[in-house]
Amino acid sequence: MAKNNNRPVIHARHLTRIYRLGDSEVIGINDIGLDIAPGELVVLKGNSGSGKSTLLSLIAGLDRPTHGFLNVADHNLTQATSPDLTYFRRKVVGMVFQSFNLMPTLNVLENACLPGLLAGKSADQVTSKAMGLLDWLGLSTRWNHLPAQLSGGEMQRTAIARALINDPDIILADEPTGNLDSRNGQIVVELFAELNRNWNRTVIIATHSDIADSVASMTICLKDGAITDQTCDI
Amino acid sequence: MKKHLGRALTVLLGIALGAAVFTSVRLSIHAALDSFTRSMDVIAGSADRVMVQPGGRVPEEWVAKLMQFSVVRDVSPVLTAYVRLADKKSEPFLLIGLDPIMDRSFRKWQFSERTEEDVESWIELLKRPYTLIIGKSLAEKYAVYRGDHLFIEHTRQTAFFSIAGILSPGGLAMAEGGMIALTDIATFQELTKLYGLVDRIDIKLDPNTTSEDLDHIRKNLPDNFQLGAPSAAKESGQGLIRAYQLNLSILSFASLFVGMFLVYSLVALNAASRRHELAVLRATGASPHFLFLVFLAEGALFGVMGWLTALPISTILVKYLLKGVSQTISILFAKVQVETLSLSPWEILLSFAITVFTSSVSAVQPAWEAMQVSPNEALEISRHGMTRKTSPRKLVIGGIGCLFLVVPLSLLPGILNMTLPGYFAILFLFVGFSLFAPWSLIQMGHALSPILHRFVGIPAYLAGRYVRDSGTRTAVSVGALITAVALFASLVIMIHSFRSTVELWAHQTVSGDLFVTTKMGEINRFRYPLPRTVVDGLEEFSNQVDIVPSRRYSLTYNNFPYEFQLLDIHVFLRHGDFVWLKGDPDRVRTLLKHGKGVVISEVFSNRTGVAMGDRFRARIESSLVELPVLGIIRDYRTRGGVVFYSLPQFNIRYHDVPWGGCRIFLKDRTKNPEMAVASLKNEFIRRWGDTLEIISGQALRNTILRVFDETFAITIVLLLIALAIAALGIATTLTVLVLERSKQLNTLYAVGADFGQIRSMILWEAAFMVVAGELAGIVCGFVLSYILVYVINRQSFGWTFLYEVDWGALAMSLPLIILTALAAAYPAIKMVFRESPATLLREN
Ligand SMILES: Nc1ncnc2c1ncn2[C@@H]1O[C@H](COP(=O)(O)OP(=O)(O)OP(=O)(O)O)[C@@H](O)[C@H]1O
Ligand SMILES: [Mg+2]
């Protein structure tokens, strides 16, 4: 895929998401302007409730902004239809979650294959790709284990395999180390750094810890739903 | 709970429906049983013994003769017959003839106004012939008062009576729901032309009477008289009604049983969604037992609320059921006239207890699971997507064990006319099949997953995997479906077999173009023979028709009521036949024509234990009949069994009996038989219309089938309610499965599934469960139908039928059930993504 290093892969203007709860309104994010170039490793920081997850969910195409404009990898997400969004989620982004969110009834390999199969790729092709990823992640001997039989670190690595199976340009991780001990957290952060460095993926890690600070090429601080210029004191 | 208000209300509705059905079935049959018992009691009065002549009547002189025995304190002669108001063509009501003075110590009867008029009424009844005292209901129904005249029609005569008084409710006036009339015995005899005869003599004995004293009396009676217990008819009637009550109770319990799955799925949802909370509770010191009790209490609460909600539904349902049930009981077992619904506190308590118990039981499994939540989970991340499961193989072994028990249990005889072992067999059958559910889901998942993946696509594959591995939850809903489908299939098979056998029987055994009996013949048990003039007159038609005369006696065999029917077998067999069950028909027909023995019905054989080759013994009027049993036939006439013997042979071998009625077959059926029958009927009516009841065979057979269908209407309604609850159950289970997995579904969406894929996955899950449930349900249903036909019916009612599967109805309805069940997936599918998938990112 040809990359245009000058055009930002993520481009947001006045991006706002307001949640309506009955009569009251809660601000998720408010009037955010943002440009992220391809190949960055962004650490998104901020206190709990500052809007990190809200921003990620918009970038991931899981939610729509209340106002503003958002373009991700040449997809205008403010105007995308539902099939556009599906295509976008399948091809453009891969997601990693705090609590892994693996399918409990599927084994490691099947979990890793899932997005590929959902995207309609052939099972053989997806399986060999997944085996390669699991090998790289050190899970090749565990491919037929169920999530319940894995440690937290192993589960998160399975989730990373799943996020990579469709070769997305952008990896979005929401608090990926939140449920891991520091050693496993470190391993996961290393993996993201490697993805960014060697595979040239754009990675956004939302976290309120400083575990990923050392690998960040860019840090964005959120406070009360807006980007602040102050240093991120959490 | 607030979060799941809609589902909680659905569950409540399900339980309430189940409880309402159960309560109203119990209450209405109880009311019928109660009114039957009361009626029998007040008519029997306080007699210790009754003297009767089986099949005949007792000469009045025995009143005086009995008084000569030292232990006999009081006697009271009684005659009863059903009569009706001639001008109003009313429903028949009971006319009792007794001696007002002799009867005073036997039966209580009070007048409605306790004034001097009472005394007058009393004296009038004694003094003036053709006076009546009538029950209050009767008076109110026809708006008649003291002093009015009633034109009363009896089988033999019609006459004017004047009303001497009206009985107030209480005592004898409560018999038949107050639809009774009393008259002096002499008047009764004159009306019915039974001069010098009574139906029975009630006897009161000295409290110190020994069995030797009774034997002494018996020895002094001619052989054809019996000294019986007054309660025999009551007990046999009660036995039959109780068996019916048990059957309907069990069927209505099916609704509650299916409702259990509803409670289960909601309590399980609650337990699962509060798992973290539970872990915290445990960590802060709550004992496992406490958590167990909390969820058990939740189940019980559903029971209590469901039962309370059921009360208003029951009041509506019970009215409908009361009518249907008492009609069925009247036709099948014993005449009942239910006026009021007696609310038995015991029945209400029973329905409450059963409702609360079943819904508590359904909470046991989720409660047990809640108890297993370890306090550690409060600290750990939620890893519980997979609950550890009992190995499906172990369940299968349990299932096989249960199924093995089915056979011996269904071979056990009933207990006290109740087919309790049979019902336990059914219970084990259901449990056994349900235990197979997880295993068969796994097998199905294994077998289907790859195929589905290749040919149907990833949603079907995921659905197969989920259903395969999801453990108890889906297995339980499949179990519910198995139960409902099995119930459905087996009842369809049973009712169809029953109906087509009855149709065959009606066609062969109830054959004939015209049936002639005396007026009100059936309700008075054919006790009045056809008048001589009619018999002679019928002979004139013998060039056009074959006449099969008959005489029917209502008798008892060791307290079991049956009908002894004398029939001109020779002529009958030219046109009709029995439905043979045992014995070589050709051989038996010949022997029967020559009077070499009797054929007995299956019911008679099953109920009395008299079998092929045994000797049948009975006292019929003055004769003692002792004949071998040549064959056993199927017969579905109501009120007990039947024994057939040749009428001409009886006249030769025993004593002459007059015709009680006859059936008529056209000799020439080639040209327009309907017309010929109709003109014959008109001719008969013209000649003897005022003394006879003439009905065409076609009409009679239609009535039999109509009664059959009406009888099963209740069954079908109960079945439909159970199915409706099962559909609610599937709907709830599927929505619960969706809610529980909202995180998984959102994840699927996040990793690239679209709405269509997720919806089709859920539909496939529903399809798997429905198909698995339906397949297993059909197999289970076939086994169940065998048990219903050959165990439950045999033990409850004494009959079986020709087993015949209604493939048409099954083929039509089973896809319909699948569609209904899939439609039940609709709310679940709607439920997906009611919240944005982005909530996935909101941890804790
Ligand atoms: N679905 C929702 N409905 C209502 N309010 C929401 C919703 N999602 C987020 N919010 C609100 O929006 C604000 C931002 O939440 P968000 O989850 O994005 O914060 P966060 O930075 O990810 O916090 P954390 O570090 O705790 O994950 C918060 O005030 C939150 O309460
Ligand atoms: Mg967050």
Side-chain angles (χ1 to χ4, degrees):
Chain A
M1 201 178 292
K3 288 226 172 88
N4 182 345
N5 275 17
N6 304 321
R7 287 249 311 266
V9 68
I10 296 168
H11 169 74
R13 286 294 173 273
H14 308 297
L15 194 60
T16 303
R17 175 67 167 101
I18 293 168
Y19 298 102
R20 240 168 275 278
L21 292 172
D23 291 337
S24 64
E25 291 188 342
V26 181
I27 293 176
I29 53 170
N30 191 15
D31 198 24
I32 283 186
L34 182 70
D35 283 303
I36 296 174
E40 297 266 19
L41 196 160
V42 182
V43 173
L44 187 59
K45 297 189 78 175
N47 284 317
S48 183
S50 58
K52 305 182 294 291
S53 297
T54 303
L55 181 56
L56 277 190
S57 68
L58 292 175
I59 297 173
L62 292 178
D63 198 7
R64 287 165 191 272
T66 317
H67 345 271
F69 175 79
L70 176 64
N71 192 315
V72 179
D74 295 329
H75 293 265
N76 179 347
L77 294 190
T78 22
Q79 268 152 26
T81 60
S82 182
D84 293 341
L85 283 177
T86 304
Y87 178 85
F88 174 82
R89 290 194 314 276
R90 285 177 184 171
K91 295 284 147 73
V92 182
V93 290
M95 287 214 77
V96 176
F97 309 93
Q98 174 173 353
S99 45
F100 327 130
N101 295 354
L102 299 175
M103 297 292 125
T105 57
L106 302 183
N107 66 27
V108 168
L109 178 64
E110 289 165 329
N111 264 293
C113 289
L114 190 57
L117 299 176
L118 286 170
K121 295 181 181 165
S122 93
D124 296 342
Q125 186 197 337
V126 175
T127 308
S128 66
K129 165 114 195 176
M131 281 313 280
L133 284 170
L134 292 178
D135 205 24
W136 173 63
L137 291 161
L139 287 169
S140 50
T141 55
R142 313 293 305 265
W143 68 270
N144 60 351
H145 288 204
L146 288 174
Q149 298 162 325
L150 302 177
S151 73
E154 288 161 342
M155 281 197 265
Q156 196 59 303
R157 279 182 275 146
T158 306
I160 291 172
R162 177 175 70 184
L164 295 175
I165 193 81
N166 282 340
D167 274 323
D169 289 334
I170 304 170
I171 311 288
L172 303 173
D174 192 11
E175 218 67 84
T177 60
N179 281 329
L180 300 177
D181 59 27
S182 60
R183 206 181 71 83
N184 274 300
Q186 209 60 60
I187 292 172
V188 165
V189 168
E190 251 336 292
L191 285 169
F192 283 124
E194 200 179 328
L195 278 174
N196 175 252
R197 254 183 279 121
N198 303 349
W199 301 30
N200 206 14
R201 300 290 151 88
T202 306
V203 177
I204 305 181
I205 302 172
T207 177
H208 52 234
S209 78
D210 44 19
I211 188 166
D213 287 358
S214 56
V215 296
S217 67
M218 176 182 181
T219 304
I220 297 171
C221 293
L222 286 180
K223 191 174 181 193
D224 299 332
I227 297 179
T228 67
D229 295 333
Q230 297 145 24
T231 46
C232 294
D233 298 320
I234 301 173
Chain B
M1 190 86 321
K2 244 183 254 148
K3 224 171 77 191
H4 307 304
L5 193 64
R7 263 160 304 287
L9 288 179
T10 312
V11 172
L12 215 57
L13 176 69
I15 296 285
L17 265 178
V21 167
F22 187 76
T23 314
S24 33
V25 162
R26 294 288 311 183
L27 279 180
S28 47
I29 306 185
H30 178 84
L33 186 60
D34 196 52
S35 111
F36 170 76
T37 308
R38 210 153 7 111
S39 190
M40 291 305 273
D41 281 344
V42 292
I43 292 177
S46 56
D48 298 312
R49 285 289 181 278
V50 284
M51 178 179 166
V52 292
Q53 182 189 193
R57 293 193 173 78
V58 181
E60 218 170 9
E61 71 228 35
W62 278 94
V63 172
K65 283 189 192 161
L66 279 171
M67 281 307 282
Q68 281 160 8
F69 294 98
S70 58
V71 291
V72 172
R73 282 271 201 76
D74 287 307
V75 292
S76 174
V78 183
L79 278 154
T80 59
Y82 283 92
V83 296
R84 64 186 171 213
L85 298 182
D87 40 354
K88 302 206 166 109
K89 285 290 167 215
S90 68
E91 291 278 296
F93 58 89
L94 191 67
L95 178 67
I96 304 175
L98 36 70
D99 182 316
I101 295 171
M102 292 182 122
D103 200 62
R104 268 161 78 183
S105 65
F106 284 84
R107 276 160 279 264
K108 277 196 284 190
W109 28 301
Q110 298 145 359
F111 296 96
S112 56
E113 301 132 60
R114 303 200 125 275
T115 57
E116 280 169 29
E117 279 189 358
D118 290 358
V119 187
E120 274 175 46
S121 301
W122 176 264
I123 292 169
E124 229 182 296
L125 189 68
L126 273 173
K127 272 198 339 200
R128 273 186 42 203
Y130 291 94
T131 47
L132 282 176
I133 297 175
I134 65 175
K136 201 161 184 182
S137 312
L138 190 64
E140 278 165 7
K141 182 155 184 195
Y142 297 105
V144 287
Y145 304 94
R146 188 161 188 264
D148 284 356
H149 287 276
L150 290 177
F151 193 32
I152 286 185
E153 181 178 31
H154 174 259
T155 306
R156 287 192 160 155
Q157 269 194 86
T158 305
F160 273 106
F161 281 75
S162 73
I163 301 172
I166 294 176
L167 290 170
S168 67
L172 191 54
M174 294 310 284
E176 305 257 323
M179 298 295 284
I180 57 148
L182 305 183
T183 188
D184 182 70
I185 195 158
T187 301
F188 192 109
Q189 287 168 332
E190 209 174 297
L191 176 75
T192 56
K193 301 185 182 166
L194 293 169
Y195 303 104
L197 294 173
V198 297
D199 282 335
R200 63 172 210 251
I201 301 173
D202 289 359
I203 302 166
K204 250 191 179 165
L205 299 170
D206 191 285
N208 301 321
T209 308
T210 61
S211 54
E212 286 90 69
D213 295 331
L214 278 174
D215 285 343
H216 172 70
I217 301 178
R218 285 204 180 94
K219 257 183 237 134
N220 283 287
L221 294 182
D223 284 343
N224 50 335
F225 293 107
Q226 280 178 2
L227 211 52
S231 57
K234 175 175 103 181
E235 275 153 18
S236 73
Q238 280 177 330
L240 285 167
I241 298 174
R242 287 216 183 90
Y244 176 67
Q245 183 179 35
L246 181 67
N247 284 310
L248 270 199
S249 302
I250 301 263
L251 184 58
S252 58
F253 178 73
S255 289
L256 262 182
F257 184 74
V258 178
M260 283 174 74
F261 295 100
L262 278 168
V263 176
Y264 168 84
S265 57
L266 200 62
V267 176
L269 171 71
N270 263 337
S273 63
R274 300 209 319 243
R275 201 171 168 98
H276 189 78
E277 208 178 305
L278 294 178
V280 174
L281 271 176
R282 285 279 284 116
T284 52
S287 76
H289 279 113
F290 174 75
L291 297 187
F292 183 81
L293 286 179
V294 166
F295 284 96
L296 207 62
E298 194 178 312
L301 189 70
F302 270 118
V304 174
M305 307 231 301
W307 188 80
L308 289 175
T309 319
L311 289 181
I313 308 178
S314 309
T315 50
I316 302 166
L317 210 56
V318 86
K319 277 189 204 124
Y320 161 79
L321 277 173
L322 193 60
K323 243 181 96 193
V325 156
S326 49
Q327 201 177 327
T328 301
I329 292 178
S330 292
I331 292 167
L332 288 183
F333 314 120
K335 193 169 184 308
V336 290
Q337 192 116 32
V338 189
E339 291 293 300
T340 49
L341 182 67
S342 53
L343 288 180
S344 140
W346 157 244
E347 286 295 336
I348 291 175
L349 193 71
L350 179 80
S351 91
F352 178 77
I354 288 200
T355 309
V356 176
F357 177 75
T358 47
S359 48
S360 309
V361 164
S362 32
V364 164
Q365 201 273 344
W368 190 82
E369 217 150 83
M371 201 168 110
Q372 310 299 311
V373 172
S374 106
N376 291 334
E377 279 183 32
L379 311 171
E380 273 178 39
I381 39 87
S382 44
R383 249 198 181 193
H384 59 270
M386 297 290 300
T387 43
R388 108 240 56 80
K389 298 169 281 188
T390 323
S391 132
R393 209 157 285 167
K394 254 187 228 159
L395 294 181
V396 166
I397 292 171
I400 293 176
C402 286
L403 293 184
F404 263 116
L405 282 175
V406 172
V407 179
L409 277 174
S410 41
L411 293 178
L412 282 181
I415 300 165
L416 300 170
N417 269 347
M418 304 281 174
T419 60
L420 290 177
Y423 283 117
F424 276 107
I426 292 178
L427 184 70
F428 280 110
L429 184 72
F430 280 147
V431 173
F433 265 89
S434 300
L435 288 179
F436 269 101
W439 179 82
S440 50
L441 284 175
I442 290 175
Q443 297 308 313
M444 196 169 82
H446 268 305
L448 287 182
S449 285
I451 305 171
L452 287 172
H453 190 185
R454 191 164 290 266
F455 297 106
V456 189
I458 184 82
Y461 170 73
L462 287 176
R465 289 301 306 267
Y466 175 69
V467 167
R468 183 185 111 179
D469 297 328
S470 58
T472 1
R473 195 63 57 81
T474 39
V476 164
S477 17
V478 171
L481 202 61
I482 291 178
T483 312
V485 171
L487 211 57
F488 174 81
S490 61
L491 282 176
V492 164
I493 295 173
M494 186 200 95
I495 294 177
H496 178 75
S497 304
F498 200 169
R499 197 178 195 281
S500 47
T501 315
V502 166
E503 232 170 314
L504 178 72
W505 166 74
H507 210 78
Q508 288 186 191
T509 308
V510 193
S511 53
D513 290 309
L514 276 181
F515 284 77
V516 177
T517 60
T518 50
K519 234 177 348 184
M520 285 177 280
E522 165 129 46
I523 193 164
N524 283 316
R525 310 270 177 110
F526 307 105
R527 296 193 68 187
Y528 300 92
L530 289 180
R532 197 63 245 170
T533 49
V534 174
V535 175
D536 294 340
L538 283 168
E539 298 288 342
E540 289 171 28
F541 295 87
S542 55
N543 55 333
Q544 301 174 45
V545 294
D546 276 339
I547 299 173
V548 180
S550 64
R551 173 83 184 161
R552 300 158 76 163
Y553 294 95
S554 291
L555 302 173
T556 58
Y557 196 95
N558 297 334
N559 286 339
F560 173 71
Y562 74 102
E563 186 181 277
F564 184 76
Q565 183 166 353
L566 296 171
L567 189 72
D568 189 333
I569 301 266
H570 210 91
V571 185
F572 167 69
L573 286 177
R574 275 219 296 275
H575 298 276
D577 197 0
F578 298 108
V579 182
W580 297 95
L581 184 67
K582 279 188 196 157
D584 167 24
D586 287 333
R587 206 187 121 252
V588 179
R589 281 191 204 105
T590 319
L591 291 173
L592 205 54
K593 283 178 200 164
H594 294 106
K596 296 276 168 52
V598 294
V599 287
I600 61 175
S601 72
E602 183 188 19
V603 175
F604 184 84
S605 170
N606 284 334
R607 280 307 170 80
T608 59
V610 175
M612 280 276 284
D614 287 356
R615 293 187 82 76
F616 164 81
R617 269 181 212 86
R619 198 157 263 298
I620 290 134
E621 293 174 320
S622 56
S623 300
L624 178 67
V625 172
E626 192 176 338
L627 291 160
V629 174
L630 301 173
I632 298 180
I633 53 163
R634 295 181 188 277
D635 194 284
Y636 302 94
R637 78 194 54 229
T638 50
R639 299 176 212 223
V642 60
V643 173
F644 285 99
Y645 187 64
S646 159
L647 177 69
Q649 292 292 332
F650 191 90
N651 286 338
I652 295 167
R653 289 169 189 236
Y654 302 101
H655 62 266
D656 255 321
V657 293
W659 297 10
C662 64
R663 45 178 119 178
I664 284 166
F665 292 91
L666 289 180
K667 276 186 172 154
D668 179 12
R669 307 190 51 85
T670 49
K671 34 189 190 279
N672 206 345
E674 277 102 46
M675 272 276 283
V677 168
S679 75
L680 214 56
K681 186 178 166 191
N682 285 338
E683 179 61 19
F684 288 179
I685 290 178
R686 195 183 59 75
R687 292 199 192 188
W688 307 296
D690 51 340
T691 47
L692 298 185
E693 247 164 46
I694 301 151
I695 179 169
S696 82
Q698 196 52 51
L700 183 62
R701 288 185 288 273
N702 288 345
T703 311
I704 289 173
L705 293 176
R706 205 196 61 235
V707 166
F708 180 91
D709 292 338
E710 279 169 5
T711 306
F712 279 100
I714 294 176
T715 311
I716 288 166
V717 169
L718 293 183
L719 177 65
L720 289 180
I721 292 178
L723 282 178
I725 297 174
L728 283 183
I730 296 172
T732 319
T733 308
L734 287 172
T735 47
V736 162
L737 290 178
V738 164
L739 284 173
E740 266 187 341
R741 284 186 298 158
S742 61
K743 193 164 188 184
Q744 287 182 36
L745 299 179
N746 287 336
T747 306
L748 274 176
Y749 182 81
V751 303
D754 62 18
F755 289 126
Q757 284 174 318
I758 291 174
R759 291 194 182 117
S760 95
M761 181 182 96
I762 291 169
L763 198 64
W764 274 105
E765 284 170 8
F768 284 137
M769 291 197 247
V770 169
V771 169
E774 182 144 337
L775 287 180
I778 291 174
V779 177
C780 182
F782 271 94
V783 181
L784 183 57
S785 66
Y786 256 86
I787 300 182
L788 288 181
V789 172
Y790 294 109
V791 180
I792 303 291
N793 263 285
R794 186 169 185 274
Q795 290 179 11
S796 307
F797 305 112
W799 51 44
T800 62
F801 348 106
L802 297 164
Y803 189 86
E804 192 178 310
V805 179
D806 187 0
W807 293 110
L810 286 183
M812 290 260 288
S813 45
L814 293 177
L816 232 107
I817 294 185
I818 293 196
L819 285 182
T820 315
L822 287 183
Y826 180 74
I829 289 173
K830 288 269 307 193
M831 193 69 71
V832 188
F833 303 127
R834 222 180 33 176
E835 289 182 331
S836 151
T839 42
L840 186 58
L841 298 178
R842 290 172 62 77
E843 304 282 349
N844 306 325

